[in-house]
Amino acid sequence: MLDGLRVLEISSFVAAPLGGMTLAQLGAEVIRVDPIGGAPDVRRWPLAPSGASLYWAGLNKGKRSVTVDLRSPRGREIVSALAADTGVVLTNAPRPSYEELAAARPDLIHLRIEGHHDGRPAVDYTVNAETGFPLATGPEDHTDPVNNVVPAWDIACGLYAAVGILAAERHRSRTGEGSALRLPLADVALATAGNLGLLGAAVLGGGDRPRIGNHLYGGFARDFATADGERVMLVTLTARHFADLCAVTGLAEVFTELGRLLGADFGADADRYRHREAIAALIEPWFAARTLAEVSKALSGCSVLWSPYRTFTEAARAATANPLMTELDQPGIGRHPVPGSPIVSGAGRGAALAPALGSDTDDVLTEIGLDAGEIVALRGEGIVA
């Protein structure tokens, strides 16, 4: 879908590499530039038994890899030539700047991911801490902050970056103008807190969102244990979901009477949330008396939303039939399931291998006009590898 779009990525860690990979999986040519020996993320965990980074391979699928001494003047000239050739730069590095690169390509699209809007540094973990979410996460009686193991803000930021580049490319196609875009990671988290109404509720007198464990804020959902020691997450987002839950568990009359006694309408989100503990106490024995297989059979025929809790090992095993996943033999890592793009289209889902670090250096430099002798000399001088 993005055939013809070419992107130079100067990046590390999660947000920018994810943005570049998202574009690559949709058909763009993405050239990742790293310092010789790799950026700080090249050996980041988790690791394969070989010691190679599954993390690095996972976020760089389908890209080309070039390694350059970014500190040398000649190395910076090469990066500038690559930026002029591709016309789009995605980076989380302060240098080279838009101004430096646009001198050779006035219609350059340059998107830089940064920490805060005022230039202060930040990473996902610090942004998460300052935005309120860890103090609304965890058991109700817990007093310390609880971080999320998913780097949610990096992920959202990477996807915003891909969207920003596509918007800027459309603008350029219509006007001929380039764009200098900045994307503060902290603003991604702050915008999310605002868009979900959490900041508005706090300012308008609703107070901070409370800690409620695995309950659903403003509705009814919770985890329940089964007879065989498994655990499931149950979600009722609508009146129909709750009615079906009552029917499946045989508790329809019980909840009708409970609603009468409490003056509650369990067809309404607010009342299901307000009386969540009473509802859970009545439903809990039904799950506790059944195995996971029995729960699955009972719930599969109705609208109730649910899923078993799984380890990563169990999730990988369950995903083998999902067309998102393709088993590929990644050099240095071995055969393992690799996801393509979650977007389903006629163009395919883009499952691809990650490049070896620097594996495309010679080819990419040839494409911008360097001959074999020049490349050999650059290698000899330690400027490229």
Side-chain angles (χ1 to χ4, degrees):
M1 289 189 287
L2 296 181
D3 183 46
L5 178 65
R6 304 179 69 229
V7 179
L8 183 68
E9 179 193 312
I10 309 168
S11 72
S12 58
F13 297 111
V14 178
L18 177 63
M21 187 182 70
T22 299
L23 297 172
Q25 289 180 325
L26 294 173
E29 177 190 351
V30 179
I31 302 169
R32 172 163 169 165
V33 173
D34 282 279
I36 294 172
D41 61 343
V42 71
R43 294 178 182 86
R44 193 164 179 82
W45 288 18
L47 305 177
S50 65
S53 173
L54 286 158
Y55 169 103
W56 195 92
L59 288 169
N60 290 290
K61 298 187 294 290
K63 301 177 186 177
R64 305 174 79 188
S65 174
V66 173
T67 51
V68 180
D69 178 4
L70 299 170
R71 296 182 177 182
S72 69
R74 184 66 178 114
R76 291 194 294 271
E77 288 176 9
I78 290 170
V79 171
S80 181
L82 289 171
D85 187 54
T86 58
V88 180
V89 174
L90 168 61
T91 185
N92 62 343
R95 301 285 298 276
S97 67
Y98 166 77
E99 290 74 17
E100 291 170 318
L101 298 177
R105 178 76 187 251
D107 68 344
L108 180 72
I109 294 169
H110 183 279
L111 188 147
R112 181 190 166 201
I113 295 170
E114 54 191 7
H116 289 90
H117 70 92
D118 56 7
R120 287 178 295 126
V123 294
D124 184 281
Y125 307 99
T126 61
V127 164
N128 192 51
E130 69 190 24
T131 316
F133 289 92
L135 296 174
T137 304
E140 188 172 354
D141 58 354
H142 194 72
T143 57
D144 295 331
V146 177
N147 291 338
N148 190 340
V149 298
V150 178
W153 311 124
D154 276 339
I155 293 168
C157 188
L159 298 177
Y160 268 115
V163 171
I165 284 173
L166 294 178
E169 203 278 333
R170 176 169 169 78
H171 174 75
R172 183 171 66 184
S173 70
R174 299 173 67 184
T175 68
E177 298 174 349
S179 299
L181 308 175
R182 294 169 51 236
L183 180 55
L185 176 65
D187 285 0
V188 171
L190 193 63
T192 302
N195 293 339
L196 293 176
L198 300 174
L199 301 182
V203 170
L204 295 173
D208 291 323
R209 174 170 165 165
R211 268 203 173 107
I212 54 173
N214 287 338
H215 284 284
L216 170 67
Y217 186 58
F220 180 74
R222 212 199 76 173
D223 59 307
F224 293 94
T226 62
D228 51 351
E230 300 294 332
R231 211 161 189 94
V232 301
M233 183 66 192
L234 178 88
V235 181
T236 60
L237 290 177
T238 68
R240 180 192 171 192
H241 291 159
F242 191 75
D244 279 2
L245 177 63
C246 292
V248 166
T249 58
L251 295 171
E253 292 184 4
V254 172
F255 279 114
T256 297
E257 180 61 15
L258 179 64
R260 187 187 67 79
L261 292 172
L262 296 175
D265 174 10
F266 292 135
D269 288 343
D271 281 359
R272 290 198 300 276
Y273 176 68
R274 190 173 297 116
H275 301 291
R276 62 189 180 278
E277 297 291 0
I279 294 172
L282 289 171
I283 292 173
E284 212 160 18
W286 185 87
F287 284 94
R290 289 163 176 80
T291 65
L292 178 60
E294 292 168 332
V295 169
S296 176
K297 182 178 180 181
L299 295 181
S300 294
C302 68
S303 68
V304 175
L305 305 168
W306 74 282
S307 181
Y309 280 84
R310 291 174 176 150
T311 64
F312 289 121
T313 300
E314 292 167 337
R317 190 180 302 122
T320 54
N322 189 326
L324 171 71
M325 309 299 293
T326 302
E327 189 172 281
L328 298 178
D329 190 358
Q330 176 69 43
I333 289 177
R335 295 192 68 83
H336 68 290
V338 174
S341 172
I343 299 173
V344 180
S345 74
R349 304 188 76 171
L353 297 172
L357 188 67
S359 59
D360 302 291
T361 299
D362 289 3
D363 288 344
V364 171
L365 295 185
T366 299
E367 291 165 11
I368 60 171
L370 278 69
D371 62 33
E374 290 174 302
I375 296 171
V376 169
L378 289 169
R379 284 185 176 276
E381 296 169 23
I383 293 171
V384 303

